Structure formats: structure tokens, C-alpha cells
Amino acid sequence: MTIKEIFTTMEYGPAPESAAEALAWLVDQGSRFGHFINGEFTAPGAGFDSKNPATGEVLASLTQASQADVDAAVQAARKAQGKWAALGGPGRATYLYAIARLLQKHARLFAVLETLDNGKPIRESRDIDIPLAQRHFYYHAGMAQLMEAELPEAEPLGVCGQIIPWNFPLLMLAWKIAPAIAMGNTVVLKPAEYTSLTALLFADICRQAGLPKGVVNIVTGDGAVGEMITAADVDKIAFTGSTSVGRRIREATAGSGKALTLELGGKSPYIVFDDADIDSAIEGLVDAIWFNQGQVCCAGSRLLVQEGVADRFHAKLKARMDKLRVGNPLDKCIDVGAVVDPVQLNTIGEMVAANRVGTMHQAQVEMPTEGCFFPPTLIEGLTPADPLMQEEIFGPVLVSCTFRTPAEAVELANNTRYGLAATLWTENVNLALDMAPKLAAGVVWVNGTNMFDAAAGFGGVRESGFGREGGWEGLAAYTRPKTKAKPLAKVEAFGGDGAPAGGLDRTAKLYIGGKQARPDSGYSRGIHGKSGALLGHVGLANRKDVRNAVEAAAGAKSWSKTTGHLRAQILYYIAENLSARADEFSARIEAMTGRKSGKAEVEAAIQRLFSAAAWADKYDGQVHGVPIRGVALAMKEPVGVIGVLCADESPLLGLVSAMAPAIAMGNRVVLAASEPFPLAATDFYQVLETSDVPAGVVNILTGSHAELAKPLASHLNVDAVWSFSSSDVSAEIEAASAGNLKRTWVNNGTAPDWTQDQTKRFLQEATEVKNIWVPYGE
């Protein structure tokens, strides 16, 4: 094309990026790769081909890992972990800085290899993926340097098994490996079968950086290898991928004691109000849905447009779509590259072909005749219940509907089982900051989209998973408190056949929705003291009582909107009322347990209430220093409805230690009282009744933990389940939680020291971090 033709047509000419260096690197490796275990590449074995999705060309042959390979990698990581942790934060920081520097030195090689292997445009690999990967290693080198000073009570988990997807191969690797090794863990990572090449190049970088053997291990293969890692002797599993696989991993790790974080699918809303800068919103939308061919878990794939501007917005959007450039990903002028594999291409095509509603527009652009390409697609006029509005397509397909009011926009945006990200476009900052807290999402972008940084945590809620990657909050996924829990034996109730003291029988009821309620089962059991004296009866709650309690808690959602100051006052009031009856509660505890520790337990419970009250208006978020002209607000929000199986051995202190921080943060709770010693809990609801606690905020059930655990953990309106029970229910809770992928915190047969104030740990478990990105300026 001549200069004259360029100025006449205003078309982009080709600007190809050379693949010579990347292909030469593959040839230098023999175009065949083994695994990276204990600092060495193993001999290549039987496996599969890695192909360029834009051309179908075979790039290299990779090895399918065997059980022996995974075992060797885990063994190497285990052997290296102690010395790596003992090296200290500053020592580890040196290696992370070296890796970051080498990623910069070889940036173009990584970018080209990523594009060849994945099919994404070279502009995206060069300008987004690789710089962000470098940023994560620099940032977490700093975190390693600061760990001993800023996180003195934290220690590494041990060996981390990590499984990453094919849409951001190197970036996902950086998100996983950088924080893990910064905190003193070692890793065994499995890259996606389709896109393993940059992970293997990264392994070579680790050798160049002199990283000690065994700290980073990389094994390649299909999903079977991921299953092997999940079942291996590791201390944590970190997975990014589909919700269906994440659910299976949750079930597979249930009861194993392994820490787990899941970053899963999404169906993120892209909300455009009638006062938005329409042209800017359309450019943002191009980035939101056609970036990386729509193969992004947080892609803005559901367009919600206010009715008054919908027609104009859609008309402008279609015109913009027709100007997108689809083709060779190595061409620096290309906007949309290749879908990763024919399997994914077929899935996208089948989902679109199955749709029978709405109006479809596909970009009127020249399409390549070979390779895995799908045209940018818009389907408008859908209803919230249509499959394409609910199911993740994971391709360059945008679906759209309209709304009238901000309240309706919130309802539509939250009408999904996912909760990863959301985008808002409006010139009204008050509207934006009013909307952001109402959206069920781990990340909210205002007048922008797809903004990421190592300093700001990323992760979702609901079936988009749990845990955060990046920022201070992300370090919780790779550390644990140094305090050691003790083995916990089943705490048994005392038996007896004595008559009630004074001849007066008392049957304590359940406490649901601010009222005392008889159990649905119609059964009760006697509670006896150590001497066999009958202290009273309690009802035996069942599945229906759990349902009623959860309904009451869900109905008290206005509690989450109250101020921390108000919640603190109520907690102080509870503490005052408990203090007034301290002698009575002390006597009750001693009568039930046969121990002379009632006074100390009551006093500790009062102090827990005061601690939670003190934190209620102080456990706040942060403003992250991200590299934009704007701010990223890390807001701590309540988890929602939390089910708690309270400690058996500390009937009052265990209940209060869990309840107080949870409601201090705006959560509502369903508490299953100490199974052997429940009368402290049924006495305690009398304190709640006189302390201005709104109905439904605290609900108390009595009965068998073994019978209540599964209904609580499987209930879809419960957002988290904690268990400190002496009954063996941890595995059952974690397995049942897979239904809606709720958060769990279980004791795995151990007991904390309840005499120690662990309120901050409870506050951490009682909150979700939502990062709200707000650019500013004209």
C-alpha cells in the first residue's frame, strides 16, 4: 500500500511483528519439552502438541505428566520449602526482583510467544499481559521485603498446587506464583494444556535468576494432571478456571485441610446510564468484551443500557463494531485475534446458534479464511432469563437489554449466579458511588473497564469463587496465623436422670427472627450437669428450623446498611446487659461443664463484645496506589448470612467470639449452639432481646451439629459457614458448600485457644473486599 493510498482510504496497513526470535527459541529447545522439576527440565515424553490457533501450525510438543511426575514435583517443592521460608523476606525479595528484571529483559520474546500460543493480538500481549506480569513480581518482591515487619504473625502455608487457564497464560502464572513464593511457599503449577509455552519459558527465567531448586515446579498436561495436583500432598490449591471445575475441586478437597482459593467464571454487567459519555462508553465496551476475543472471566458480556439512550447507543456500537479489525494476531493493527482452540470455537458457535430470541448483529468485517476466528457479535433485545444472559459464553459475543431506573439496573446486574466484576458508565459520581456497593461483584470499574494492578486485589463472590489475588488482601491466601490449634476430641454431654432443681421444669426454645420458637421436630432433650442433675431441656432443631432461621436472617439485610457506629452501640449494649447477669451465666456454665471456669469465660465473652464493638467503625478499607490517574478503593463489605456451628467446649465464649465480629461487620448469623452445653446460648438470647438487636440479625438453634451442618452448608441463601464444632463435620460442610461455592472456615478437628482474643481473624473472615476503581480528570 502506497502513502497516497493510505491517505485516500484511511485504512490501516499491515504492521507485522516478527516471530523469528520466538520460533528460534522453540527450535533451540528441540521444539519438545519435558517438565520443570527441582530446577531442571526433564526429558520430553509422550504428550500432545501446542498449536498456533491463528494458523493451526504446531509450535512444540509437550509432555503429559504422569502421577510419578506430579509426585516428584511435590516432593521437590516440599524439600525446598523449609529453606526457602527460612531465607527470610529480604532474601526472597532478591530473587523476585531478579525474575521481574529478567521478564523485562525478555519482554518481547514473552509477548510474541504468548500471541503465537494463545492467539491474542500482539498489542495486548505486549502492552498488557507482559507488563502486568512484571509488575506482579516487582510488587510482591516488595511484599516479601516487608513481610516480617508488617505481617509478623503470619507464616507460609507450605507447598501450593496451582492450576491456571489458557486465556492469560503468563499473567495468571504471575498472579499465582509471585505472592506464593514471596510469602515463603513453594509451588507446583500446571499451565493450561492449550497454552503452556510461556510457563516453560518462565521456568528458564527461574534458572537464569538462580532461584533455588524446587521453589518453582511446572508440570504440563490435561485436566487429569490438575486432578493429580488437587489430590497430592500439598497445603493449598489455587485454581483459576471454569465454575464447574472449581466446584469439583471444592468437593475433592473437602475435609483435607487444604487451603483453597477459586477464581472462576463470570457474566459481568456493563451498565450505561443516560448521562454517560456515549463515545467513551463504547470504546470501553470494545475493551470490555472484545479484548482477548472475549475470553476473559470478567468480560463485560452483559450490556445494560438505560432506555433513553439505548437506540443511539446500539447504533453507534454497531458502527464501531464494523470498524474492528480481525485477523493475524501478530499484526500490530489487529483488534481481535484468534479463539484459543477449535473446541472453544465450536462451543461459542453452538451457543450462539442455539439462541432464538433477540436481534443479532455480527461485525461486517473481513474474516480470515483459516484459523479459529469468530466475528464480534451483538445480540440485543434479550430478557434476563434468556440462556445467553445467564450463561458464560467466553467468546466475542455481547448480549444486551435495557433498564429504566438505577434500582432496576441493580436488579438486572445482580440477576446472575456469578459475581466477579461490573462496570458503570455515568458522569454522576454520586450515582456511581451509590451503585457500586449495591452490585454483587468483587471488582467495580467506574468509567473504565479491565483495570488491573498487583496492588489491588482481584476476585469474586457467589459462583465466581472466593479469595483475592493481589494487594494486601491477596496475601491472606498464602499465609496463615502462627498460632497453633490443638487437637479437639468430641465433647460429650453429661447424662443423668435427676429432677429439675426446685421441681420447676424449663424447656428452652429456639431463637428465630427475634422470637422464641418451638422446634419443628417436636423433640427436645435433657441437659444434665456433671452430677446428673437435670438443668433443663432444649429443642432439637431440624432442616426446617434451619430454613426458617436463614429466611429470618435474609430478611434482616437492612442490618448490613447500618453504620458501624450504630452496630458498635448495640454491641456495647449487649456487653453491658451480659455483665449485669455475669454471676448467673457463670453459674450456668459451671453447672453444665463441671468446670470452675465460668467467671473467666463470662468475662472473656464481655471483652470479645467490647473488642468487636471497638472494631465496628474502625475495620475499614484502603485506597490502593495503582498506576492510574484515579483511585482503587478497597472496601470491606459484609459477607452476608453466615452459619456458625459454635464451639462445644466454650459454650458462651465460643458463641460470642464468632457472633460479635460477624454482626459488627454487618452480617447476619445463624448460630448452632454448643451441642453438649447449649443452655448458655438459650440464656444469651434473653440478653439479645433486651439489647436492641433487630429481629433476624442473630438466630440461635440448638440440637445436633451433625444434623444441622449439611442443611446450613447446602442452603443457597447462606453465604458462608464456619465450624468450630467438636463433631467431625468439616468435610461434610466443605463438600456441601460446593452447591453455591460459599466460603467456609472449618476447624478440621482442632480447637483454637478461646482465651486469646482473635477478633481480627474473625473480622477478616466476616468481610469481602470489593475494589472500586474510580478514574478522575477530564
Side-chain angles (χ1 to χ4, degrees):
M1 181 178 287
T2 65
I3 298 295
K4 181 179 179 181
E5 288 173 331
I6 291 173
F7 277 99
T8 301
T9 64
M10 296 303 290
E11 292 180 357
Y12 285 85
E17 174 74 38
S18 173
E21 291 294 328
L23 295 174
W25 181 80
L26 292 172
V27 171
D28 288 345
Q29 313 306 311
S31 297
R32 299 182 70 228
F33 291 88
H35 312 296
F36 185 70
I37 298 174
N38 201 32
E40 305 284 346
F41 279 103
T42 65
F48 52 96
D49 292 334
S50 184
K51 298 180 180 180
N52 181 343
T55 64
E57 172 192 5
V58 174
L59 298 170
S61 294
L62 306 179
T63 302
Q64 172 73 16
S66 65
Q67 185 66 59
D69 294 323
V70 172
D71 291 344
V74 172
Q75 183 179 4
R78 183 69 67 190
K79 183 179 179 180
Q81 196 273 321
K83 290 182 180 179
W84 178 246
L87 187 61
R92 295 192 298 273
T94 301
Y95 288 103
L96 272 85
Y97 280 125
I99 291 172
R101 294 277 189 200
L102 286 165
L103 286 173
Q104 284 185 314
K105 291 177 182 178
H106 299 287
R108 190 55 66 96
L109 175 60
F110 272 102
V112 174
L113 190 61
E114 194 80 300
T115 289
L116 285 172
D117 203 23
N118 172 273
K120 65 177 61 187
I122 185 64
R123 288 188 296 122
E124 295 176 6
S125 299
R126 180 195 66 198
D127 299 341
I128 299 172
D129 293 38
I130 309 308
L132 269 175
Q134 299 160 7
R135 165 74 172 144
H136 272 268
F137 279 96
Y138 274 122
Y139 179 84
H140 285 98
M143 285 298 199
Q145 185 78 25
L146 299 175
M147 181 181 179
E148 288 153 23
E150 298 300 320
L151 300 170
E153 301 302 319
E155 66 180 12
L157 294 170
V159 176
C160 300
Q162 303 178 325
I163 305 165
I164 60 174
W166 41 259
N167 53 343
F168 292 92
L170 184 70
L171 183 55
M172 292 293 102
L173 176 150
W175 281 20
K176 295 286 190 292
I177 289 181
I181 66 175
M183 295 296 100
N185 303 281
T186 55
V187 304
V188 177
L189 179 136
K190 188 197 88 69
E193 179 183 3
Y194 296 148
T195 55
S196 300
L197 296 183
T198 48
L200 295 168
L201 176 56
F202 177 81
D204 198 30
I205 291 296
C206 290
R207 289 200 306 187
Q208 293 179 40
L211 191 70
K213 293 183 177 181
V215 173
V216 170
N217 305 272
I218 295 173
V219 292
T220 56
D222 58 17
V225 181
E227 293 177 7
M228 295 176 196
I229 292 174
T230 300
D233 180 25
V234 297
D235 302 292
K236 172 187 170 62
I237 294 293
F239 172 76
T240 297
S242 72
T243 296
S244 59
V245 175
R247 185 174 285 111
R248 294 203 300 271
I249 290 175
R250 169 71 285 180
E251 293 169 345
T253 57
S256 65
K258 296 172 184 174
L260 177 65
T261 49
L262 299 173
E263 196 265 280
L264 307 175
K267 193 70 178 176
S268 300
Y270 190 97
I271 307 169
V272 181
F273 287 94
D274 57 9
D275 67 339
D277 180 337
I278 298 298
D279 292 325
S280 295
I282 286 173
E283 287 306 308
L285 183 55
V286 168
D287 183 43
I289 183 57
W290 292 303
F291 170 60
N292 199 23
Q293 298 72 251
Q295 300 169 130
V296 184
C297 52
C298 57
S301 56
R302 280 190 301 146
L303 172 62
L304 311 178
V305 189
Q306 199 155 16
E307 277 189 3
V309 295
D311 290 343
R312 183 159 63 99
F313 188 91
H314 284 124
K316 282 178 169 279
L317 176 59
K318 292 172 188 175
R320 180 67 180 89
M321 289 172 63
D322 293 342
K323 296 297 183 183
L324 293 172
R325 300 176 296 276
V326 181
N328 177 12
L330 283 174
D331 186 340
K332 291 185 280 287
C333 294
I334 289 300
D335 298 309
V336 182
V339 172
V340 72
D341 189 83
V343 172
Q344 181 64 16
L345 182 65
N346 290 338
T347 299
I348 297 167
E350 288 170 1
M351 292 184 73
V352 171
N355 179 63
R356 296 289 183 269
V357 294
T359 304
M360 183 170 71
H361 174 79
Q362 291 190 315
Q364 301 301 298
V365 297
E366 184 177 348
M367 293 292 294
T369 56
E370 60 179 25
C372 299
F373 293 91
F374 195 90
T377 300
L378 165 67
I379 304 175
E380 56 182 300
L382 299 184
T383 66
D386 288 326
L388 292 189
M389 287 290 285
Q390 293 292 328
E391 300 301 325
E392 187 178 33
I393 303 171
F394 223 65
V397 181
L398 175 67
V399 295
S400 174
C401 69
T402 62
F403 67 91
R404 293 181 179 179
T405 65
E408 186 183 3
V410 170
E411 291 293 325
L412 290 170
N414 292 341
N415 184 22
T416 172
R417 65 182 189 273
Y418 298 110
L420 191 52
T423 301
L424 297 167
W425 282 86
T426 174
E427 293 298 291
N428 184 342
V429 68
N430 291 320
L431 175 60
L433 296 181
D434 177 62
M435 289 281 293
K438 298 175 181 177
L439 298 172
V443 181
V444 177
W445 295 300
V446 176
N447 292 342
T449 193
N450 280 341
M451 290 181 279
F452 307 100
D453 187 64
F458 181 85
V461 296
R462 296 179 171 177
E463 293 191 27
S464 289
F466 46 80
R468 295 292 180 267
E469 296 184 294
W472 287 98
E473 59 266 38
L475 299 183
Y478 289 100
T479 57
R480 63 186 171 200
K482 289 181 179 177
T483 55
K484 302 298 182 184
K486 298 178 180 179
L488 178 64
K490 179 78 167 82
V491 180
E492 300 291 351
F494 295 115
D497 55 5
L504 181 64
D505 180 71
R506 173 173 175 264
T507 301
K509 299 178 183 177
L510 312 179
Y511 186 65
I512 298 175
K515 299 178 182 179
Q516 298 183 36
R518 298 185 188 278
D520 174 73
S521 69
Y523 289 97
S524 61
R525 71 177 179 88
I527 304 299
H528 299 86
K530 188 175 183 180
S531 64
L534 180 65
L535 304 178
H537 290 85
V538 295
L540 297 180
N542 63 14
R543 179 183 296 271
K544 186 175 180 182
D545 298 310
V546 170
R547 183 200 68 185
N548 293 341
V550 173
E551 283 183 3
K557 62 182 179 181
S558 60
W559 177 252
S560 300
K561 301 176 183 178
T562 58
T563 65
H565 174 64
L566 173 64
R567 297 194 294 269
Q569 290 182 80
I570 290 176
L571 283 160
Y572 282 130
Y573 197 11
I574 296 172
E576 292 168 10
N577 288 333
L578 178 59
S579 179
R581 296 176 58 180
D583 291 342
E584 175 190 341
F585 273 87
S586 175
R588 173 69 87 183
I589 291 168
E590 292 181 356
M592 284 191 300
T593 65
R595 300 191 300 264
K596 298 298 182 181
S597 57
K599 184 176 180 180
E601 182 167 339
V602 174
E603 179 57 32
I606 293 169
Q607 291 305 313
R608 295 295 183 279
L609 287 162
F610 277 117
S611 291
W615 277 111
D617 57 358
K618 301 175 186 67
Y619 191 69
D620 45 24
Q622 296 175 306
V623 178
H624 288 311
V626 292
I628 65 166
R629 190 161 180 258
V631 293
L633 307 174
M635 309 297 290
K636 291 179 177 175
E637 298 185 337
V639 171
V641 176
I642 301 176
V644 185
L645 299 177
C646 298
D648 289 326
E649 67 276 19
S650 299
L652 179 65
L653 181 56
L655 180 146
V656 169
S657 294
M659 178 208 75
I663 67 172
M665 294 295 99
N667 299 284
R668 296 89 70 200
V669 294
V670 177
L671 306 171
S674 166
E675 184 177 340
F677 312 128
L679 294 178
T682 57
D683 289 348
F684 185 70
Y685 65 57
Q686 298 171 4
V687 174
L688 298 176
E689 289 176 322
T690 59
S691 302
D692 294 341
V693 180
V697 172
V698 178
N699 305 273
I700 298 175
L701 306 177
T702 53
S704 166
H705 286 180
E707 293 183 14
L708 296 176
K710 188 172 182 179
L712 265 178
S714 59
H715 200 298
L716 297 182
N717 284 339
V718 173
D719 301 293
V721 175
W722 303 345
S723 176
F724 311 103
S725 174
S726 66
S727 297
D728 184 15
V729 293
S730 295
E732 185 173 28
I733 287 171
E734 290 183 329
S737 73
N740 67 342
L741 290 168
K742 60 175 63 68
R743 288 172 53 169
T744 59
W745 182 22
V746 297
N747 62 356
N748 289 303
T750 62
D753 183 355
W754 293 107
T755 65
Q756 300 297 311
D757 190 342
Q758 300 180 53
T759 298
K760 286 197 72 174
R761 175 72 192 281
F762 279 88
L763 294 172
Q764 179 181 315
E765 293 290 339
T767 51
E768 294 277 14
V769 176
K770 175 183 285 183
N771 278 278
I772 304 172
W773 292 67
V774 187
Y776 50 69
E778 291 294 329

